[in-house]
Amino acid sequence: MKVTIDGISVEVPDGTSILNAARVIGGDVVPPAMCYYSKLAGSGGKCRTCLVKVSKGSEKDPRPMPKLVASCRTTAMDGMEVQNMTSPEVIEARKGVVEMLLINHPLDCPVCDQAGECDLQNLGFEHGAAKTRYEFDRRTFNRIDIGDKIQLHMTRCILCYRCVFTADQITDHRIHGILNRGDHSEISTYIQAAVDNDFSGNVIDVCPVGALTDKTFRFKNRVWFTKPVEAHRDCDHEKCKGEVTLWYKGDDVLRVTARKDQYGEVEDFICNTCRFDKKKTADWVIEGPRKVSNHSVISSNHYDTMKPLPVVKANPVLQEANKEQFERETRL
Amino acid sequence: MGRKLLLEHINVPGINTFEVYRQKGGYASVEKALKKMTPDEVVEEVKKSGLRGRGGAGFPTGMKWSFLAKPEGVARYLVCNGDESEPGTFKDRFLMTYIPHLLIEGMITSSYALGANTSYIYVRGEMMPQIRILEKAIAEAKANGFLGKNILGTGYDLELYVQPGGGAYICGEETALLESLEGKRGNPRIKPPFPAIAGLYGCPTVVNNVESIAAVVPIINDGGEEYAKLGIGRSTGTKLISAGGNLVKPGVYEIDLGLPVEEFLYSDEYCGGIANGKRLKAVVAGGSSVPILPANLFLKTINGEGRLMSYESLSDGGFVSGSMMGSGGFIAFDEDQCIVRNTWNFARFYHHESCGQCSPCREGTGWMEKVLHRLENGHGSMSDMDLLVDVAKKIEGNTICPLGDAAAWPVASAIRHFRDEFEWHVTHASEAVTRNYGLAHYADPLPKPEPKPEATA
Ligand SMILES: Cc1cc2nc3c(=O)[nH]c(=O)nc-3n(C[C@H](O)[C@H](O)[C@H](O)COP(=O)(O)O)c2cc1C
Ligand code: SF4
Ligand code: SF4
Ligand code: FES
């Protein structure tokens, strides 16, 4: 089956969604996804950031679709033509969605524990406007502890439902859902009944923002000061492969998370023992440093660039020294 | 005087009981359908009648029925949408209260046509009295052999249940209704799959409005062609209109589609004109979700033709100068009403009722509500109108279910047609909290349309 997205054609199996077809192509044609999570059945369709324009329905029925569609929940058809980055209408609508996602979200990334690895921060940076037009109080909630390891701060939640699907699908009994309606909806564990389950910690990883955070790591450090390292252990939980990322500061393991792919989705869910209880290097077999995209702020303290850093001050002596240094290095 | 099909016997004492209803010829359509017709013939009659869904979208009912998937060995369901919570609409409640057997009869005939053996009537939770009335009517029908096993000895079985909802407007959206009926949180589903393929419990399902189902009764009794003779063009038959607002005689009226709006509004048979001798300022023609129109554009289309109460005529002019039939919730505003306040009130409703699944609707409805509240209370600014139009545009068409559109349209249309009044709320902020803008030019005769060289529309 052939699908064309932004003029690039790709062959995909029947039943592939437009979003996943775009991911096969990769790069800029991939629409951003804040709620869809390929590992969670039924997810997607809610945040509307992945809206695209279908300019040709299929080979059989070439009519364009009347409205923009959520690419994560729309199945691609043979001969379908889709516009993402090439459609001003899509760019405009997406900008609108990002604005909507941010009107009730606090704009205080510097004090949020998720900063640096937050999908919403990235989305706002890439697709949003620099200023807000919203002039009213934002909705706020108190922080809630979900058990002793996870903290929920609804104020930052974008209601993507990923954690709800996680609770539904990978933990065995659900005590986690959504209460209320509209912009006063809240993630809830019913009278704060702790989500007590071997896999509950994964809600932290699926959360695209700083609404669900790891209490054993919260505010211990900024994520870009830590060094991610791939490691594994022989986990005796039958559903856990024990393949994780360790986040080091010096010799200390500050945090353990599942490994995430380039779309921020975990490769395999991990159990709470691996996540919360194994925080010594001796618990793990180290595989090597984790590759971090050079677009990410996490790579910013890895000074392995070949180019000299930009000099802030126009000091002629410094500039000269830098030039020398640069020439020496490039000769090597 | 139009013919009454649904409300013909509404004034007969005791019509809410089985005996009286039966004496007046009730349940004849069940006898006719079950004994003399095949299910497909019933569907065919409904198709011929041209009946269009009375729940808001106006989709042809016969067509919807014929789309129902019929895989072997899988149950099919008919669900009646009695959630009616659209501000301005109260016709289904009227029907369920005073002539409940009409709905039960329609449900039996329609279930037979669709091959459903279990059917549900989903009624909004606040309508507890109506739920009791329906349950009593079902018990009576069952006692008389019109429900249960082997109805009238024809071998057809049907169980009918009434399900109270939790009282959320969003549960009127058909897929949210199905979720709620399954006992889940009433979030609209992402389509496809459509209910006709995978609806209630994943089985093929038809969801129809109370009035649509009731209309099946006269269609089967008199034949689809007879029904189609009433009305005009593709708006066939009769329609219940819930008339409210500043009218001399508000209430539920059954009209022949195609009735001139002027006659509906001013004749003594229907609304009897504007109350207290005031003048008409604006009309919401089909429930809070449809665009609001100023008096002049409501009475006449932009081309100067008199408007009719029909699907086509009310939407003449599209979003620029038209409105919609919607669910038939007719609200008239006299010269003393404030459009800003009313728009804020509607926005407040949609903000309160958004299910919160998709970001544009969840956040945008609240944003519009806050801006409108500010305008109404004299703290607005001139840029607020453009902001509102822009926010409405960002919501419209970008959401899972049409509630987003329904929230955007009243705001966008109010600003389109009543911008002067909004601006006056900014320029005369302190005055605006003590008095209303008044009629202004909203009832002035429309400028003569430019004569078009070629009419190709
Ligand atoms: C937000 C929303 C609320 C709705 N509420 C109702 C309702 O209260 N009653 C109703 O019959 N249809 C309602 N509808 C329309 C239904 O989704 C559906 O179109 C209708 O029940 C189909 O019946 P019909 O074909 O007989 O009109 C609503 C739709 C939306 C989007
Ligand atoms: S808490 Fe996080 S994962 Fe859960 S709905 Fe909110 S943003 Fe999504
Ligand atoms: S449009 Fe509004 S009501 Fe409909 S699914 Fe989205 S958030 Fe819910
Ligand atoms: S990722 Fe498609 S709607 Fe959220």
Side-chain angles (χ1 to χ4, degrees), chain A residues 28-101:
Chain A
D28 277 350
V29 306
V30 186
M34 296 296 289
C35 66
Y36 171 77
Y37 211 76
S38 61
K39 272 106 200 155
L40 297 171
S43 65
K46 302 196 193 295
C47 70
R48 318 305 284 179
T49 52
C50 69
L51 290 173
V52 293
K53 185 182 165 106
V54 176
S55 47
K56 178 180 169 194
S58 69
E59 211 52 72
K60 268 200 223 107
D61 180 3
R63 283 175 304 170
M65 292 191 183
K67 294 198 279 186
L68 303 182
V69 298
S71 59
C72 63
R73 289 295 294 260
T74 308
T75 311
M77 295 290 181
D78 191 30
M80 185 185 263
E81 284 172 22
V82 179
Q83 295 179 344
N84 175 31
M85 294 299 281
T86 50
S87 158
E89 200 186 328
V90 170
I91 305 285
E92 183 66 16
R94 187 167 297 151
K95 208 168 143 190
V97 173
V98 176
E99 182 173 30
M100 298 289 185
L101 282 175

Side-chain angles (χ1 to χ4, degrees), chain A residues 45-46 48 161 181-182, chain B residues 169-170 173 176 186-190 350 353-363 365 395 398-405 407:
Chain A
K46 302 196 193 295
R48 318 305 284 179
Y161 281 61
R181 264 200 314 254
Chain B
Y169 173 61
I170 191 58
E173 198 280 337
N187 277 359
R189 294 178 183 167
I190 296 158
Y350 290 108
E353 297 297 335
S354 161
C355 84
Q357 269 191 102
C358 33
S359 0
C361 169
R362 176 183 68 235
E363 308 293 348
T365 50
I395 302 175
N398 292 339
T399 54
I400 296 176
C401 88
L403 188 139
D405 303 340

Side-chain angles (χ1 to χ4, degrees), chain B residues 139-377:
Chain B
E140 285 177 329
K142 201 163 184 175
N144 287 283
F146 282 94
L147 278 171
K149 291 248 171 287
N150 194 13
I151 297 171
L152 305 177
T154 58
Y156 174 64
D157 306 334
L158 176 67
E159 285 300 334
L160 192 54
Y161 300 99
V162 182
Q163 174 62 49
Y169 173 61
I170 191 58
C171 290
E173 198 280 337
E174 52 186 6
T175 54
L177 185 150
L178 295 177
E179 286 280 296
S180 169
L181 196 52
E182 288 179 11
K184 301 184 194 143
R185 180 185 162 85
N187 277 359
R189 294 178 183 167
I190 296 158
K191 283 153 272 186
F194 290 93
I197 311 295
L200 188 62
Y201 306 115
C203 301
T205 305
V206 165
V207 182
N208 270 133
N209 175 256
V210 170
E211 188 191 342
S212 314
I213 289 180
V216 171
V217 173
I219 290 172
I220 296 306
N221 282 336
D222 307 343
E225 271 155 28
E226 201 57 35
Y227 186 85
K229 281 185 195 154
L230 297 174
I232 180 167
R234 287 177 54 239
S235 304
T236 59
T238 64
K239 167 105 189 74
L240 298 182
I241 304 287
S242 340
N246 308 111
L247 296 168
V248 175
K249 293 197 300 172
V252 176
Y253 295 102
E254 181 170 7
I255 60 158
D256 279 10
L257 285 168
L259 182 77
V261 293
E262 223 159 331
E263 188 182 337
F264 180 66
L265 199 52
Y266 292 108
S267 82
D268 285 333
E269 192 189 338
Y270 300 108
C271 306
I274 309 304
N276 307 322
K278 299 258 161 112
R279 291 165 301 172
L280 181 71
K281 178 176 181 180
V283 170
V284 169
S288 62
S289 307
V290 310
I292 186 171
L293 287 178
N296 50 9
L297 270 178
F298 173 69
L299 293 168
K300 288 215 167 21
T301 66
I302 198 81
N303 298 322
E305 292 157 22
R307 248 185 234 281
L308 311 176
M309 296 292 279
S310 74
Y311 289 91
E312 290 77 21
S313 181
L314 283 178
S315 57
D316 188 305
F319 283 123
V320 181
S321 63
S323 183
M324 276 187 285
M325 183 84 208
S327 53
F330 184 96
I331 313 172
F333 299 85
D334 72 19
E335 56 194 296
D336 290 341
Q337 304 309 316
C338 173
I339 300 300
V340 179
R341 186 165 189 86
N342 178 66
T343 311
W344 165 62
N345 192 26
F346 283 175
R348 192 173 58 141
F349 173 78
Y350 290 108
H351 174 215
H352 187 259
E353 297 297 335
S354 161
C355 84
Q357 269 191 102
C358 33
S359 0
C361 169
R362 176 183 68 235
E363 308 293 348
T365 50
W367 193 359
M368 291 197 302
E369 189 265 328
K370 292 190 183 80
V371 175
L372 283 161
H373 185 257
R374 169 167 84 182
L375 272 167
E376 164 63 10
N377 288 294

Side-chain angles (χ1 to χ4, degrees), chain B residues 24-144:
Chain B
K24 287 284 166 195
Y27 290 97
S29 78
V30 175
E31 288 180 308
K32 183 172 174 188
L34 267 60
K35 290 188 175 157
K36 302 203 193 102
M37 297 168 82
T38 65
D40 286 345
E41 279 166 0
V42 179
V43 175
E44 204 46 48
E45 276 317 309
V46 175
K47 260 193 187 166
K48 269 193 238 159
S49 74
L51 172 68
R52 291 169 69 175
R54 304 297 195 222
F59 191 81
T61 305
M63 223 164 17
K64 186 166 180 170
W65 287 11
S66 59
F67 289 155
L68 185 71
K70 298 196 167 126
E72 269 314 305
V74 179
R76 277 168 249 149
Y77 293 102
L78 171 66
V79 178
C80 172
N81 188 342
D83 190 64
E84 191 174 64
S85 2
E86 174 116 342
T89 310
F90 44 87
K91 63 186 175 72
D92 296 347
R93 184 185 61 194
F94 182 83
L95 211 134
M96 291 189 282
T97 316
Y98 297 110
I99 187 158
H101 283 284
L102 185 66
L103 176 60
I104 310 294
E105 179 178 356
M107 282 301 282
I108 304 171
T109 310
S110 310
S111 302
Y112 172 72
L114 298 169
N117 297 110
T118 312
S119 295
Y120 297 90
I121 305 176
Y122 182 97
V123 183
R124 177 154 66 101
E126 283 97 332
M127 296 200 224
M128 222 49 213
Q130 285 71 21
I131 292 169
R132 301 230 168 78
I133 292 169
L134 286 174
E135 278 181 337
K136 180 159 162 276
I138 289 175
E140 285 177 329
K142 201 163 184 175
N144 287 283

